Amino acid sequence: MLSTNGRDGAGEDHGTIVLVEDDHNIAELVDLYLRNAGFRVLQAGDAARGLELVGQEHPCLVLMDIGLPGPMDGLEACRELRRRSDIPVVVITARDDEVDRVLGLELGADDYVTKPFSPRELVARVRAILRRTEAAKRPSEEPLSIGPVTVDPLRREVMVASEPVALTAREFDLLAHFVGNQGIVLSRQQLLDAVWGPGWFGDERTVDVHVRQLRRKLGDALPLATIWGVGYRCG
Ligand code: CA
């Protein structure tokens, strides 16, 4: 069961949502409300098809009914989704006593609605979650500082005690990441993923080289500790 009606909808595009729900009436109702809210909706009647659509279409959110036909129920499908990605998941459940499980760490659903639910309320929850995840993805635009070092992400400027310091683009990104994650031990691999990007296949020593440059340019102003055998910690 596949509905792509949202494509020729009102022209708004707030992203694609995969809706996994075997109750046709509920699915159609939710589909209608989401399309009216500007989403493209792809329906799946069972968990396997739902996971397949998520893999193919890279939706911004998944709505998952718990009671589904076939070998895999919604709980198991959530678990599988969590193994693969951190896509937001809203669970649709018919039973109040399932709520603790679906919101628990194990399944990590972002929110839930209990049947019967108001489609309007569901759309409001979906919007709230997407706003939250979008905000979390956006890099901070406020200047950050640690000690005498100030990093301005918008101007891409670094000052030490009000004196500008010239950094390369990569040095700047690395410093901004350190200053934005103060007090946290970051492994070289985490730094590669965050600053160089997950598609970058390079040696972890690249990180050490850039750290040496930062230390040379910023000197004692930057409180950056080497955590032996792990990586680095700023502050
Ligand atoms: Ca069901």
Side-chain angles (χ1 to χ4, degrees), residues 20 22 45-49 65-77:
V20 190
D22 61 311
D46 61 58
R49 178 69 185 139
D65 182 30
I66 294 298
L68 292 169
M72 195 190 292
D73 69 5
L75 291 174
E76 219 173 301

Side-chain angles (χ1 to χ4, degrees), residues 174-192 194-195 207 224-227 229-234:
L174 181 60
L175 177 65
H177 192 73
F178 277 133
V179 177
N181 291 278
Q182 291 174 33
I184 299 171
V185 176
L186 299 163
S187 72
R188 289 173 178 81
Q189 189 57 52
Q190 284 171 327
L191 290 164
L192 282 177
V195 178
V207 176
L224 183 65
T226 303
I227 309 299
V230 185
Y232 299 95
R233 187 192 61 227
C234 180

Side-chain angles (χ1 to χ4, degrees), residues 70-110:
M72 195 190 292
D73 69 5
L75 291 174
E76 219 173 301
C78 279
R79 206 172 287 131
E80 183 58 33
L81 275 178
R82 273 292 160 270
R83 260 200 292 274
R84 298 181 191 183
S85 76
D86 54 3
I87 184 171
V89 178
V90 175
V91 157
I92 302 169
T93 169
R95 291 167 42 192
D96 270 325
D97 60 348
E98 281 172 340
V99 168
D100 285 350
R101 286 180 72 196
V102 302
L103 291 182
L105 276 179
E106 186 198 2
L107 294 175
D110 294 84

Side-chain angles (χ1 to χ4, degrees), residues 3 7 13-19 34 38-42 53 57-62 87 130:
S3 145
R7 275 174 179 157
D13 182 16
H14 295 318
T16 298
I17 292 179
V18 167
L19 168 60
L34 288 171
F39 294 100
R40 173 178 173 238
V41 181
L42 302 174
L53 281 176
E57 301 283 340
H58 306 290
C60 59
L61 186 139
V62 178
I87 184 171
L130 290 176

Side-chain angles (χ1 to χ4, degrees), residues 147-164:
V149 179
T150 303
V151 178
D152 186 332
L154 282 185
R155 294 161 170 267
R156 292 186 70 84
E157 277 177 2
V158 176
M159 313 281 268
V160 173
S162 310
E163 287 294 318

Side-chain angles (χ1 to χ4, degrees), residues 127-141:
R127 282 188 167 137
I129 287 169
L130 290 176
R131 265 199 305 276
R132 203 164 69 214
T133 46
E134 279 309 307
K137 268 192 272 177
R138 261 199 307 279
S140 163
E141 296 183 346

